[in-house]
Structure formats: structure tokens, C-alpha cells
């Protein structure tokens, strides 16, 4: 009989009063915060009706990067992952042109998104469009950058799914629309088969030197696969 011995599932609904720290391995999240003099915030949302974590940049004119991840403890074998789901919204109607957001599954993190060697991610890049969502994949050999989805992310929750059930040579991306989850960027094959290591969940917001206080809120993150 199939059960925990055959399948694994990680999910976090961010209930309670946990602390998100920049060092140590807590629960299992770790925050990377590159601010110098500003004070970005990363907190469990008080008064949330469903458990949330908010990441917000500071009103200080400096380069800032705030990332929620496993602190590069790569715990999920890409060949065993079946899917990942993120429910996320921005904390403003649109990103500032100096900000960007990325989330999904990655190898070791980097402040520069395009320098992450392994990734299957959703992105909103303010310099290109302040609300348009693109998808990207990289396995160290095959690389797909900024593939349009035709959808947007604003200050309303959307569900995002990365589907590995067809194998790593055909990773698929899905997003909410008026009819529920649907596949996006169908004209591109996202091949990650040249990577055989492990990944981690990853949510990052960042800006160049600017005073904007852009942020995002995460309702839940779920990743599942075969044992």
C-alpha cells in the first residue's frame, strides 16, 4: 500500500509566530538579507486568516535583496520531485521599475537570478514590466530565459505550479486564470535533464538603489515527490 514509505510531501502554511532568521537553520527556512543600512522586514503575518509570511523591502536608497529559502540545504532530488506549488501575491499593485521578484525551485541561491545554475522559476522583473510574469529554467546546460506567460501578478493571490510529473526533460509551468490552474508558456520545452542533484524552494525580492518598499506575501509553499 502506497504511503509515506513511497512518497514525500513538504508543505508550509506559515501558521503561528515563528521567527525568520538570517543565520542558523530554524524551521527549515533561512533569510538572506543583503541590506546595508536599511531594515527590510520578513515576518509571519499577525492577524492573518490563513497563515502568511510577508517580505518587504526598506525605504532606504540602497541595493537590497531578501530571500526565503532552505539556506542552500538542497533536500529535494530533482529526479524524485513531482511538483511544487506556491500561492503568492504582491503587496502593491505593481512592482517599481527597480524591483524584481523570483520564486520556484533552485540550486544554490544567488543575488543575481541569472547566476543561479539550476532553477525552475517564475519571475516579475520591474525593468521589463511591473506586473507581467515570465518563467525560466536552467540545468547548467539548457537555459530558457524570460518566457512569456501572458499573465500578471498584482496585489491579489495567485497559485503557481511547477509540474515535474512528465520527467525533467519536460518541466511544465501552470498559473491561475479565471478558469483555475492552466499551463503557460506551452510553446517552450523546459528541459532540466542535465541536472541530477537536488533543489530547494526559493522566494526572492530585490531592488537596485532606490527607496521603494515593494514586497510580497506568501500564503503557502508545497513540494512533493517520490521517495
Amino acid at each position: 500500500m502506497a504511503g509515506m514509505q513511497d512518497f514525500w510531501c513538504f508543505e508550509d502554511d506559515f501558521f503561528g509566530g515563528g521567527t525568520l532568521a538570517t543565520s542558523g537553520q530554524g524551521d527549515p527556512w533561512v533569510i538572506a538579507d543583503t541590506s546595508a543600512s536599511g531594515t527590510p522586514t520578513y515576518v509571519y503575518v499577525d492577524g492573518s486568516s490563513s497563515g502568511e509570511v510577508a517580505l518587504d523591502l526598506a525605504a532606504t536608497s540602497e541595493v537590497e535583496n531578501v530571500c526565503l529559502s532552505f539556506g542552500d540545504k538542497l533536500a529535494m532530488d530533482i529526479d524524485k520531485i513531482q511538483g511544487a506549488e506556491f500561492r503568492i501575491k504582491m503587496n502593491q499593485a505593481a512592482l517599481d521599475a527597480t524591483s524584481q521578484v523570483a520564486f520556484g525551485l533552485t540550486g544554490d541561491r544567488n543575488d543575481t537570478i541569472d547566476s543561479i545554475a539550476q532553477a525552475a522559476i517564475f519571475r516579475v522583473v520591474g525593468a521589463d514590466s511591473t506586473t507581467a510574469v515570465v518563467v525560466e529554467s536552467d540545468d547548467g546546460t539548457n537555459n530558457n530565459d524570460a518566457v512569456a506567460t501572458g499573465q500578471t501578478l498584482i496585489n491579489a493571490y495567485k497559485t503557481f505550479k511547477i509540474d515535474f510529473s512528465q520527467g525533467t526533460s519536460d518541466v511544465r509551468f501552470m498559473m491561475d486564470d479565471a478558469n483555475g490552474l492552466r499551463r503557460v508558456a506551452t510553446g517552450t520545452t523546459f528541459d532540466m535533464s542535465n541536472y541530477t542533484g537536488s533543489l530547494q524552494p526559493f522566494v526572492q525580492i530585490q531592488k537596485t538603489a532606490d527607496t521603494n518598499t515593494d514586497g510580497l506575501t506568501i500564503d503557502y509553499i508545497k513540494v512533493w515527490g517520490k521517495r
Side-chain angles (χ1 to χ4, degrees):
M1 182 168 129
M4 194 170 183
Q5 70 273 17
D6 300 309
F7 300 95
W8 55 265
C9 180
F10 168 82
E11 52 189 329
D12 199 335
D13 211 354
F14 300 110
F15 282 107
T19 299
L20 298 170
T22 57
S23 62
Q25 198 68 30
D27 65 341
W29 301 107
V30 175
I31 290 286
D33 175 359
T34 66
S35 60
S37 57
T39 54
T41 56
Y42 21 91
V43 296
Y44 286 73
V45 177
D46 186 17
S48 168
S49 63
S50 61
E52 296 168 315
V53 159
L55 312 178
D56 289 284
L57 302 173
T60 303
S61 185
E62 64 176 3
V63 176
E64 289 182 350
N65 184 309
V66 176
C67 180
L68 179 75
S69 74
F70 280 2
D72 293 341
K73 303 297 188 294
L74 308 182
M76 299 164 174
D77 185 337
I78 191 172
D79 291 309
K80 302 291 183 65
I81 295 170
Q82 291 291 287
E85 196 167 286
F86 298 74
R87 190 167 187 259
I88 285 181
K89 67 178 179 179
M90 295 200 297
N91 295 341
Q92 58 289 317
L95 283 181
D96 186 89
T98 64
S99 296
Q100 59 178 297
V101 164
F103 55 92
L105 299 176
T106 72
D108 289 346
R109 68 164 297 279
N110 195 291
D111 288 349
T112 303
I113 299 296
D114 289 332
S115 295
I116 298 174
Q118 304 88 23
I121 55 174
F122 296 89
R123 292 183 77 181
V124 180
V125 181
D128 298 330
S129 170
T130 57
T131 61
V133 177
V134 298
V135 289
E136 302 187 356
S137 69
D138 199 339
D139 66 1
T141 302
N142 303 303
N143 185 30
N144 291 292
D145 281 334
V147 181
T149 67
Q151 293 206 49
T152 60
L153 178 62
I154 58 170
N155 52 343
Y157 271 122
K158 279 193 173 182
T159 302
F160 301 80
K161 182 178 178 181
I162 308 169
D163 182 6
F164 284 81
S165 66
Q166 307 301 309
T168 56
S169 62
D170 186 13
V171 178
R172 301 180 179 187
F173 293 87
M174 300 178 182
M175 284 181 62
D176 270 343
D177 68 5
N179 299 310
L181 275 176
R182 70 173 181 87
R183 190 177 169 195
V184 295
T186 58
T188 299
T189 298
F190 297 91
D191 185 350
M192 297 185 67
S193 59
N194 280 282
Y195 181 62
T196 58
S198 294
L199 301 172
Q200 64 181 332
F202 163 101
V203 180
Q204 184 160 292
I205 183 166
Q206 60 199 99
K207 67 177 180 177
T208 56
D210 187 80
T211 59
N212 82 72
T213 57
D214 286 351
L216 56 84
T217 300
I218 309 158
D219 183 23
Y220 67 79
I221 295 173
K222 179 179 178 180
V223 190
W224 64 94
K226 298 177 181 178
R227 195 167 292 281

